[in-house]
Amino acid sequence: MSKRKTALSEDDLIRALRNKEKIGAEALYDMYSSSLYGIIYRIVQHDEIAEDLLQETFVKIWNSFALFDPAKGRLFTWMANVARNLSIDKLRSKDFRNNAKNQDIENTVNFIDETNSTALNPDTLGVKELMQRLKPEQKSILDLVYFRGYTHAEVAEELGIPLGTVKTRLRMAIITLRKFFS
Amino acid sequence: MEDIQAYIESGILELYAAGDLSPAEKRDVEAMISRHPELKAELAEIEQGLEEYAAAYAIAPSVNLRRQVIDSLLSAEENPEEPEALNDSVAEIRSAPSYKYAFAACLTLLLVSLGALFVLYSRLQQSNQQIAVLQAGNQQFSNRVNNMDQQLKQHQHALSVLRNPQVKLIKLSGTKQSPESSMMLAFNPASKEVMIDMSAMKVPANDAGHQYQLWAMVKGKPVDLGVFDMKADDQGMKKMKAIAEAEAFAVTLEPRGGSLNPSMEHMMLLGVI
């Protein structure tokens, strides 16, 4: 079966989702399921639970789309928050907490490297280059905040560094990303 | 504008895009970007950078999930659900399970109940003790009443005898053998009743081997009227055997059970009518 992926511009997608059109659902899934699944999986670290959460995330996005306000930011930022919040709630409800947060930063890095080989998005190139550009300490903070949903206070505690340093490194990491992808 | 540049360089937009601000801070940023389109544009670029990053680290879910998810979204249109209020702050996290508080409440309740139980138990013990004391007192009281009742009856009887005009009161005086002794005797010739007053008796106590015996002297011959013991606590009148007439009454000390004939050498009391 040929995989036909639907893609829409941000504005078109927003309109389709507002009108609950079938093409909106398809585009939404095709464009963002892997990105969202990456966030979800990195938090809960469990296949079945992550898949359930992915479905839950899409259902929530679809049903509460009226609450999305384009004036406040891009669609993906909002969706990533939904995914992250659902995953963290799941994590705390099942008392995964100790296992997840005590995972070493090194392990997180290795883990991401391993999964890359099976799930590398062919549309994105030069991930290894990105790794070289991004300093390890910046990357670890970025991953903790953006993928794992740590607050910067929790990151400071986890890594044993001052709060200000967390914020600075996060900013530098994102600036590096911007330059790399622009 | 200087303000805008400083704002951009503060890095707050990056934090906003990464979802790392408090609800109050988020509202501030949203206010800023709504007022300044340049900030909105800057934010959009930051967000795109993060999106690309997320895409680089995307993980593809299993293939069958696509149909399942899309179908569930579209079928939701046939059964529309209420949109939930979205909470886009990572900082708001559900608190610890409430059963911890329920457990603490139960434990407190149990301890309070045990405390109350202990207090009630000791009060019950006190009450029981009080009841026992009252019962003992009650018992003593009723014993006294019984005693007094008995004494009263004896006195009433004695009085009725003594008041009877047909009754002759005879005093028996001590003989040589027992000069200090005395006794009162009530003789009713009409009813042939002879009674001796135990309370007014002054004779030495007899031992277990002996008893006092009362005699009536009838036409010079002694007639047995019965035996009695000298009891210190006896208040009443003892009824002896019947006799119609007598000239005198005497008391001798005999072996227990009495004798057929009086031991004259052991005569203790004598009273002549």
Side-chain angles (χ1 to χ4, degrees):
Chain A
M1 186 174 89
S2 63
K3 251 202 236 172
R4 249 185 335 135
K5 286 200 177 176
T6 317
L8 296 173
S9 69
E10 174 106 345
D11 290 335
D12 287 342
L13 181 57
I14 290 171
R15 201 173 309 118
L17 289 172
R18 281 224 178 101
N19 298 331
K20 305 269 196 250
E21 293 169 29
K22 181 177 171 194
I23 193 169
E26 288 174 354
L28 183 68
Y29 190 88
D30 290 338
M31 289 165 76
Y32 295 114
S33 60
S34 298
S35 299
L36 293 175
Y37 193 70
I39 293 173
I40 292 167
Y41 190 84
R42 278 174 176 84
I43 293 174
V44 298
Q45 315 254 332
H46 192 288
D47 279 322
E48 279 171 39
I49 294 172
E51 289 192 346
D52 287 344
L53 284 170
L54 184 68
Q55 178 155 348
E56 234 180 285
T57 302
F58 275 116
V59 169
K60 198 165 188 182
I61 291 167
W62 181 263
N63 286 335
S64 46
F65 197 75
L67 298 175
F68 168 66
D69 183 359
K72 293 184 183 172
R74 284 176 64 84
L75 180 60
F76 184 75
T77 306
W78 180 73
M79 297 198 297
N81 277 334
V82 174
R84 213 180 288 126
N85 290 343
L86 282 174
S87 304
I88 289 167
D89 282 350
K90 186 64 150 192
L91 202 71
R92 283 163 207 247
S93 80
K94 276 191 140 191
D95 205 25
F96 278 163
R97 183 206 282 248
N98 288 335
N99 297 338
K101 277 199 178 176
N102 288 343
Q103 194 176 356
D104 281 355
I105 303 302
E106 280 89 344
N107 288 346
T108 308
V109 171
N110 294 338
F111 169 71
I112 290 173
D113 281 346
E114 283 160 21
T115 55
N116 268 343
S117 58
T118 55
L120 186 60
N121 190 331
D123 295 334
T124 311
L125 301 171
V127 173
K128 288 211 169 88
E129 270 185 62
L130 171 63
M131 291 269 291
Q132 284 160 8
R133 297 265 193 105
L134 209 51
K135 290 186 189 161
E137 64 268 15
Q138 291 172 356
K139 183 176 189 309
S140 57
I141 289 174
L142 184 63
D143 286 347
L144 286 174
V145 173
Y146 190 63
F147 277 124
R148 301 272 290 280
Y150 278 49
T151 64
H152 50 261
E154 287 166 341
V155 172
E157 195 193 310
E158 177 80 14
L159 299 180
I161 56 177
L163 206 60
T165 311
V166 173
K167 294 194 182 189
T168 311
R169 286 190 189 163
L170 182 63
R171 181 157 186 259
M172 295 310 299
I174 296 178
I175 289 171
T176 309
L177 286 182
R178 278 178 62 189
K179 286 192 191 143
F180 185 78
F181 286 116
S182 62
Chain B
M1 276 164 68
E2 289 296 299
D3 275 346
I4 304 287
Q5 204 49 42
Y7 195 78
I8 290 171
E9 273 169 29
S10 71
I12 192 148
L13 292 175
E14 276 86 357
L15 294 177
Y16 178 80
D20 188 29
L21 293 179
S22 70
E25 288 169 321
K26 282 188 179 171
R27 281 196 292 276
D28 289 341
V29 172
E30 283 154 14
M32 284 296 277
I33 61 177
S34 71
R35 281 203 295 274
H36 305 286
E38 313 96 297
L39 291 178
K40 180 85 164 53
E42 179 74 11
L43 178 65
E45 285 189 33
I46 292 168
E47 288 177 294
Q48 273 171 312
L50 284 169
E51 275 178 49
E52 303 267 4
Y53 184 62
Y57 286 101
I59 303 172
S62 51
V63 195
N64 53 336
L65 213 58
R66 182 181 190 272
R67 200 70 258 154
Q68 188 179 320
V69 170
I70 291 175
D71 285 349
S72 74
L73 294 186
L74 297 174
S75 73
E77 287 319 294
E78 295 159 29
N79 315 312
E81 292 170 14
E82 296 281 324
E84 298 163 27
L86 265 192
N87 159 11
D88 58 346
S89 162
V90 175
E92 264 182 63
I93 289 165
R94 286 199 205 109
S95 59
S98 58
Y99 57 72
K100 276 187 197 172
Y101 296 110
F103 178 73
C106 285
L107 194 64
T108 308
L109 199 65
L110 181 68
L111 289 173
V112 168
S113 300
L114 283 174
L117 194 69
F118 184 70
V119 168
L120 284 175
Y121 178 72
S122 62
R123 281 197 198 158
L124 183 68
Q125 290 296 90
Q126 277 179 356
S127 296
N128 282 347
Q129 278 173 357
Q130 280 177 354
I131 288 173
V133 167
L134 285 171
Q135 278 176 341
N138 210 27
Q139 185 64 41
Q140 271 183 349
F141 191 67
S142 78
N143 282 351
R144 252 186 89 200
V145 167
N146 283 346
N147 224 16
M148 284 167 75
D149 238 359
Q150 207 179 9
Q151 280 184 9
L152 185 64
K153 282 200 182 108
Q154 283 174 342
H155 285 306
Q156 280 172 340
H157 181 243
L159 238 98
S160 69
V161 167
L162 295 170
R163 279 182 177 158
N164 193 342
Q166 290 176 323
V167 170
K168 289 184 186 165
L169 276 177
I170 299 145
K171 179 182 173 178
L172 279 73
S173 305
T175 60
K176 283 200 293 288
Q177 279 76 11
S178 180
E180 302 293 315
S181 297
S182 72
M183 199 171 95
M184 292 303 289
L185 184 145
F187 175 45
N188 188 344
S191 63
K192 300 183 198 159
E193 280 177 294
V194 176
M195 300 188 92
I196 54 173
D197 189 352
M198 300 307 287
S199 64
M201 200 181 293
K202 276 194 203 140
V203 294
N206 54 303
D207 58 31
H210 293 90
Q211 255 180 327
Y212 288 111
Q213 191 163 9
L214 182 66
W215 305 94
M217 302 302 287
V218 182
K219 298 189 173 70
K221 292 217 170 99
V223 177
D224 163 52
L225 286 184
V227 294
F228 62 93
D229 288 289
M230 169 56 194
K231 284 187 213 155
D233 54 357
D234 200 337
Q235 295 287 319
M237 304 198 81
K238 188 176 169 69
K239 188 166 177 181
M240 308 305 281
K241 291 181 186 173
I243 194 106
E245 56 175 308
E247 294 106 29
F249 293 95
V251 172
T252 60
L253 187 64
E254 302 293 341
R256 181 155 283 271
S259 310
L260 289 168
N261 291 309
S263 322
M264 284 315 201
E265 63 279 16
H266 292 302
M267 178 158 41
M268 311 300 275
L269 294 154
L270 178 65
V272 179
I273 295 179

